[in-house]
Amino acid sequence: MTAIRALLLCSCLGLLGPGGGQPFLRLRPSPSDNLPVKDIVEHPDPEYDPKEQDLDERTLRKKLGSHFDPGFMAVAVPGPANASGAEAAAGRGRAALPAELRRLELGPPQGPRLKVGKKARRKVLQWLWAYTYCPVLYTWKDLGVRFWPRYIKEGNCFAEKSCSLPEGMFCKPVKSVTKTFLRWHCQGWSSQKYCTWIPVQYPLISECKCSC
C-alpha cells in the first residue's frame, strides 16, 4: 500500500503565550502518514482572530478563486454530510462488486475450482464484499474562525468492526485529495503584529481499503 503523505500547511510564526515564556507555536500537525488531520491547537487569545472587516465573503471568495469547492467546504453551518456508522455497516455489500472480486474463482488455491450455480456464486461474492467493503464516511468539521471557508467535509474510514474473515484487518485510508483553504496568518507581537489571509492545503481521505 502506498503511504499517504499529507502536510497541512497552516503554520504561523511563534506567538508569546499568555504570561510570556516559551513561544506558543501554531504548527499543527507535523508531516504525517495519518489521516484524517488531527485537531489544530490554536492560540486562545481572540486578538489573533480575524475581525468582522476581514470576513467579507465576496472578497474571500475572490481571493480563493477556483479553489472554492462547495462539495467539500461551506461558509455557514451545513447539514448532515453522510450516513452514520450504523447505516454504513448495514449498507456494506450493497455497492457494486469490484472487478477483482467478480473474477474471483471459488475454491482452494491449489485445488480444483468449486462449481456452484450463478445465483449461489453471486450470493457468496456479495457476502464476501459485505465484509471487505470500506466506505468513506463524511462528516462536517468546524475548523474555526481562523480558516475560510470555516467548515470542511472530512472523510473517515469505517472502523467499527473488522473487514476480513478471519478478523484482524481493518479499513484504512489508501488515497487522499487536497483542498485549498484560506488561513488567517499572524506574525509579530501585540500592536506590531501583521495578519492576513494565506492559501493553505488541507488533505482529505478519498478512498479506504481493507488492510492489515
Side-chain angles (χ1 to χ4, degrees), residues 79-97:
N82 206 337
S84 66
E87 291 171 330
R92 292 174 79 175
R94 287 207 296 261
L97 293 175

Side-chain angles (χ1 to χ4, degrees), residues 124-141:
V124 170
L125 295 180
Q126 289 175 339
W127 178 72
L128 288 173
W129 185 223
Y131 279 90
T132 60
Y133 175 52
C134 290
V136 179
L137 303 181
Y138 289 100
T139 54
W140 284 103
K141 180 177 181 178

